[in-house]
Structure formats: C-alpha cells, structure tokens
Amino acid sequence: MISITAILKSKPENTAQIKNMLNHLITETRKEEACVRYDLHHSENVFIIWEEWKDQPGLDIHNNQSYLLDFIKESETLISSPIQVYKTAQIL
C-alpha cells in the first residue's frame, strides 16, 4: 500500500474554482483500479488530498492521467504556492 498526502493552497479569490476542479479530479481518480482511497479535505483556502494506492504501477498510471496533468497545469495560476506532495509510510 502506498500513501500520498498532497497539500495545495489556493489564492483566496480562487478557492471555489479550485474546489470545483478538485471535485472533478477526485471523481475521475476514484474510478482507477489501483485507487484505494482518494479523499479531499478543506480548511479555508487549503486543500488536502489523502491518497492510498494498491501499488506503484497503479500510482504511476494515475500520475500520467490526462485529468491529473490538466489539473496541475490549469491550477498553476490559481494557487499561491507549489503543490506539496508527500509519499508516506504508516508507522502506527
């Protein structure tokens, strides 16, 4: 199992737009065979995606999906800092 946490911070005036874009991303990603969990959390203009993947090949497929690549490209001017992505391992 592979765990990923992605954190992005929208510019305050773009929060609703980013949320809509993320809703599309979440919906499409959850259809992927290797996706175990892809949950969106939100506080003000900060969005956190908590991901779990069956294996690295499945994550690699996800990372090359057009809807993910489009989201990354289209969100560049709407966020206040680069997206932070952490690949983690559960310790407890």
Side-chain angles (χ1 to χ4, degrees):
M1 187 82 66
I2 298 169
S3 297
I4 304 284
T5 302
I7 302 169
L8 63 117
K9 187 175 183 181
S10 71
K11 294 176 183 174
E13 65 273 16
N14 298 324
T15 301
Q17 185 176 359
I18 288 288
K19 184 177 179 183
N20 288 336
M21 293 167 63
L22 283 166
N23 284 337
H24 174 71
L25 176 63
I26 300 296
T27 299
E28 294 304 311
T29 299
R30 286 179 174 171
K31 296 175 186 176
E32 294 181 45
E33 184 179 329
C35 179
V36 175
R37 167 170 282 188
Y38 205 82
D39 295 338
L40 179 63
H41 299 259
H42 174 246
S43 177
E44 297 179 15
N45 62 322
V46 176
F47 296 89
I48 300 168
I49 302 171
W50 180 36
E51 312 173 30
E52 288 185 330
W53 296 91
K54 289 180 184 176
D55 53 29
Q56 188 62 51
L59 178 57
D60 292 341
I61 290 169
H62 169 68
N63 286 336
N64 288 295
Q65 293 294 329
S66 62
Y67 46 84
L68 175 61
L69 299 174
D70 289 346
F71 172 81
I72 292 168
K73 183 178 178 181
E74 293 169 10
S75 68
E76 285 179 347
T77 61
L78 304 174
I79 58 178
S80 61
S81 58
I83 299 171
Q84 300 173 326
V85 179
Y86 302 94
K87 187 173 181 180
T88 62
Q90 184 174 350
I91 56 174
L92 290 176

